[in-house]
Amino acid sequence: MAKVYAMITDGTEEVECLAVVDILRRAGVETVLVSVGRTRDVVSSHQVRIQADATVEETDFTDGDVIFLPGGMPGSENLSACEKLIGALQKADEEGRRIAAICAAPGVVLGRHGFLRGRTATCFPGFEKEFLEGEYTRQGVVTDGNITTARGLGFAIDLGIELVKLLMGEEMAEDVKGKIQYNGPLHGGSM
């Protein structure tokens, strides 16, 4: 069974995080919500209290197929400052395991730490300045190699479906889309 570590911290944009987690769990993907704080209790960017499944200190990321980074501020900054998370991302990237990020996180976390060099990615407009030799596109969802990025909250369901497709196949992605009555354009959106 595929396994995803979905990161969360104080200041995370809650819908970007939980929409992707919901889609993954509907597809049968084991999805662990991991807090980078000292406790499992998190207060999101819109003051929603969420309890994670584990803390970063309790987590060994080596068995994960994907590490997912939601956006939000200051959540993305908090993720970027977590040394254990950055180390886990580096190891995942070296091993060719998947990394996904949405909104501010592609720039603030992946770009700032050099994960986007030579890759095409998207993010919430303005955060592409952190891409460090990466190429920015305004697409809604982009997969380049083992890294998948999404522009923002409006593309959270698309990101979840893209990850299901990558992990479980097109048939499962279509099944989930049908079950949630999703009819939107995957990867579109040049708003």
Side-chain angles (χ1 to χ4, degrees), residues 34-57:
V34 179
S35 165
V36 300
R38 294 176 195 217
T39 71
R40 294 179 181 192
D41 298 317
V42 172
V43 178
S44 74
S45 63
H46 296 100
Q47 305 307 302
V48 176
R49 294 189 181 284
I50 300 167
Q51 185 171 45
D53 301 313
T55 67
V56 70
E57 293 305 323

Short mmCIF file of all heavy atoms in Angstrom, two decimals, residues 34-57:
data_model
loop_
_atom_site.label_atom_id
_atom_site.label_comp_id
_atom_site.label_asym_id
_atom_site.label_seq_id
_atom_site.Cartn_x
_atom_site.Cartn_y
_atom_site.Cartn_z
N VAL A 34 1.55 14.79 9.88
CA VAL A 34 2.72 14.95 10.75
C VAL A 34 2.92 16.43 11.10
O VAL A 34 3.10 17.26 10.21
CB VAL A 34 4.00 14.41 10.08
CG1 VAL A 34 5.21 14.60 10.99
CG2 VAL A 34 3.83 12.95 9.70
N SER A 35 2.93 16.73 12.39
CA SER A 35 3.18 18.08 12.87
C SER A 35 4.68 18.33 13.00
O SER A 35 5.40 17.47 13.52
CB SER A 35 2.53 18.28 14.24
OG SER A 35 3.03 19.44 14.88
N VAL A 36 5.15 19.48 12.52
CA VAL A 36 6.57 19.81 12.72
C VAL A 36 6.78 20.54 14.04
O VAL A 36 7.91 20.86 14.39
CB VAL A 36 7.19 20.62 11.56
CG1 VAL A 36 7.11 19.86 10.26
CG2 VAL A 36 6.60 21.99 11.44
N GLY A 37 5.71 20.77 14.79
CA GLY A 37 5.83 21.40 16.10
C GLY A 37 6.21 20.39 17.17
O GLY A 37 6.41 19.20 16.90
N ARG A 38 6.26 20.86 18.40
CA ARG A 38 6.63 19.98 19.52
C ARG A 38 5.50 19.04 19.92
O ARG A 38 5.73 18.04 20.58
CB ARG A 38 7.03 20.83 20.72
CG ARG A 38 8.28 21.62 20.48
CD ARG A 38 8.57 22.51 21.66
NE ARG A 38 9.55 23.51 21.26
CZ ARG A 38 10.50 23.94 22.03
NH1 ARG A 38 10.59 23.50 23.27
NH2 ARG A 38 11.35 24.84 21.60
N THR A 39 4.27 19.41 19.56
CA THR A 39 3.12 18.58 19.90
C THR A 39 2.35 18.25 18.62
O THR A 39 2.62 18.81 17.55
CB THR A 39 2.17 19.31 20.87
OG1 THR A 39 1.49 20.36 20.18
CG2 THR A 39 2.92 19.87 22.07
N ARG A 40 1.35 17.39 18.77
CA ARG A 40 0.49 17.03 17.65
C ARG A 40 -0.59 18.08 17.39
O ARG A 40 -1.27 18.03 16.39
CB ARG A 40 -0.16 15.67 17.91
CG ARG A 40 0.84 14.55 17.94
CD ARG A 40 0.16 13.24 18.23
NE ARG A 40 1.15 12.17 18.30
CZ ARG A 40 0.84 10.90 18.31
NH1 ARG A 40 -0.43 10.51 18.26
NH2 ARG A 40 1.79 9.99 18.37
N ASP A 41 -0.74 19.01 18.31
CA ASP A 41 -1.77 20.04 18.18
C ASP A 41 -1.28 21.20 17.33
O ASP A 41 -0.19 21.74 17.56
CB ASP A 41 -2.19 20.55 19.56
CG ASP A 41 -2.80 19.45 20.41
OD1 ASP A 41 -3.60 18.67 19.88
OD2 ASP A 41 -2.44 19.36 21.60
N VAL A 42 -2.09 21.57 16.33
CA VAL A 42 -1.73 22.60 15.37
C VAL A 42 -2.87 23.60 15.28
O VAL A 42 -4.04 23.22 15.36
CB VAL A 42 -1.47 21.97 13.99
CG1 VAL A 42 -1.27 23.01 12.92
CG2 VAL A 42 -0.29 21.02 14.04
N VAL A 43 -2.53 24.88 15.09
CA VAL A 43 -3.53 25.90 14.81
C VAL A 43 -3.23 26.42 13.40
O VAL A 43 -2.17 26.98 13.14
CB VAL A 43 -3.50 27.05 15.84
CG1 VAL A 43 -4.52 28.11 15.48
CG2 VAL A 43 -3.75 26.51 17.24
N SER A 44 -4.18 26.22 12.51
CA SER A 44 -3.97 26.54 11.09
C SER A 44 -3.96 28.05 10.85
O SER A 44 -4.20 28.85 11.74
CB SER A 44 -5.08 25.90 10.25
OG SER A 44 -6.30 26.62 10.44
N SER A 45 -3.73 28.41 9.59
CA SER A 45 -3.65 29.83 9.22
C SER A 45 -4.96 30.57 9.45
O SER A 45 -4.97 31.78 9.60
CB SER A 45 -3.20 29.97 7.76
OG SER A 45 -4.16 29.38 6.91
N HIS A 46 -6.08 29.84 9.50
CA HIS A 46 -7.38 30.45 9.74
C HIS A 46 -7.95 30.04 11.09
O HIS A 46 -9.16 29.96 11.27
CB HIS A 46 -8.35 30.13 8.59
CG HIS A 46 -7.88 30.72 7.31
ND1 HIS A 46 -7.20 29.97 6.35
CD2 HIS A 46 -7.93 31.98 6.84
CE1 HIS A 46 -6.88 30.76 5.35
NE2 HIS A 46 -7.30 31.98 5.62
N GLN A 47 -7.04 29.75 12.02
CA GLN A 47 -7.36 29.47 13.43
C GLN A 47 -8.21 28.22 13.64
O GLN A 47 -9.00 28.16 14.58
CB GLN A 47 -8.02 30.70 14.07
CG GLN A 47 -7.21 31.99 13.95
CD GLN A 47 -5.79 31.83 14.46
OE1 GLN A 47 -5.58 31.48 15.61
NE2 GLN A 47 -4.79 32.08 13.62
N VAL A 48 -8.05 27.22 12.79
CA VAL A 48 -8.72 25.94 12.97
C VAL A 48 -7.76 25.03 13.74
O VAL A 48 -6.60 24.88 13.34
CB VAL A 48 -9.09 25.30 11.61
CG1 VAL A 48 -9.70 23.92 11.81
CG2 VAL A 48 -10.04 26.20 10.84
N ARG A 49 -8.24 24.44 14.82
CA ARG A 49 -7.41 23.53 15.61
C ARG A 49 -7.47 22.13 15.00
O ARG A 49 -8.55 21.61 14.75
CB ARG A 49 -7.88 23.51 17.05
CG ARG A 49 -7.68 24.84 17.74
CD ARG A 49 -7.95 24.76 19.22
NE ARG A 49 -7.76 26.06 19.83
CZ ARG A 49 -6.60 26.64 20.11
NH1 ARG A 49 -5.49 26.02 19.82
NH2 ARG A 49 -6.53 27.84 20.65
N ILE A 50 -6.30 21.55 14.77
CA ILE A 50 -6.19 20.24 14.14
C ILE A 50 -5.22 19.40 14.96
O ILE A 50 -4.19 19.91 15.42
CB ILE A 50 -5.67 20.38 12.68
CG1 ILE A 50 -6.62 21.25 11.86
CG2 ILE A 50 -5.45 19.02 12.04
CD1 ILE A 50 -6.06 21.71 10.53
N GLN A 51 -5.54 18.13 15.12
CA GLN A 51 -4.60 17.24 15.79
C GLN A 51 -3.98 16.30 14.76
O GLN A 51 -4.68 15.57 14.06
CB GLN A 51 -5.29 16.42 16.88
CG GLN A 51 -4.27 15.60 17.65
CD GLN A 51 -4.87 14.93 18.87
OE1 GLN A 51 -5.95 14.37 18.80
NE2 GLN A 51 -4.15 15.01 19.97
N ALA A 52 -2.67 16.35 14.67
CA ALA A 52 -1.91 15.49 13.75
C ALA A 52 -1.85 14.07 14.30
O ALA A 52 -2.12 13.82 15.48
CB ALA A 52 -0.51 16.05 13.55
N ASP A 53 -1.44 13.14 13.45
CA ASP A 53 -1.27 11.74 13.85
C ASP A 53 0.05 11.52 14.58
O ASP A 53 0.19 10.57 15.35
CB ASP A 53 -1.31 10.84 12.61
CG ASP A 53 -2.61 10.96 11.85
OD1 ASP A 53 -3.68 10.91 12.48
OD2 ASP A 53 -2.55 11.11 10.61
N ALA A 54 1.04 12.37 14.29
CA ALA A 54 2.38 12.21 14.86
C ALA A 54 3.12 13.54 14.78
O ALA A 54 2.70 14.44 14.07
CB ALA A 54 3.16 11.14 14.08
N THR A 55 4.23 13.63 15.50
CA THR A 55 5.12 14.78 15.36
C THR A 55 6.28 14.37 14.47
O THR A 55 6.54 13.17 14.26
CB THR A 55 5.68 15.26 16.72
OG1 THR A 55 6.55 14.25 17.23
CG2 THR A 55 4.57 15.60 17.70
N VAL A 56 7.00 15.35 13.97
CA VAL A 56 8.15 15.07 13.10
C VAL A 56 9.20 14.25 13.86
O VAL A 56 9.87 13.40 13.28
CB VAL A 56 8.72 16.38 12.51
CG1 VAL A 56 9.41 17.23 13.56
CG2 VAL A 56 9.64 16.10 11.35
N GLU A 57 9.33 14.49 15.17
CA GLU A 57 10.32 13.75 15.95
C GLU A 57 9.94 12.28 16.12
O GLU A 57 10.80 11.44 16.36
CB GLU A 57 10.53 14.41 17.31
CG GLU A 57 11.20 15.78 17.22
CD GLU A 57 12.52 15.77 16.45
OE1 GLU A 57 13.30 14.80 16.57
OE2 GLU A 57 12.79 16.75 15.72
#
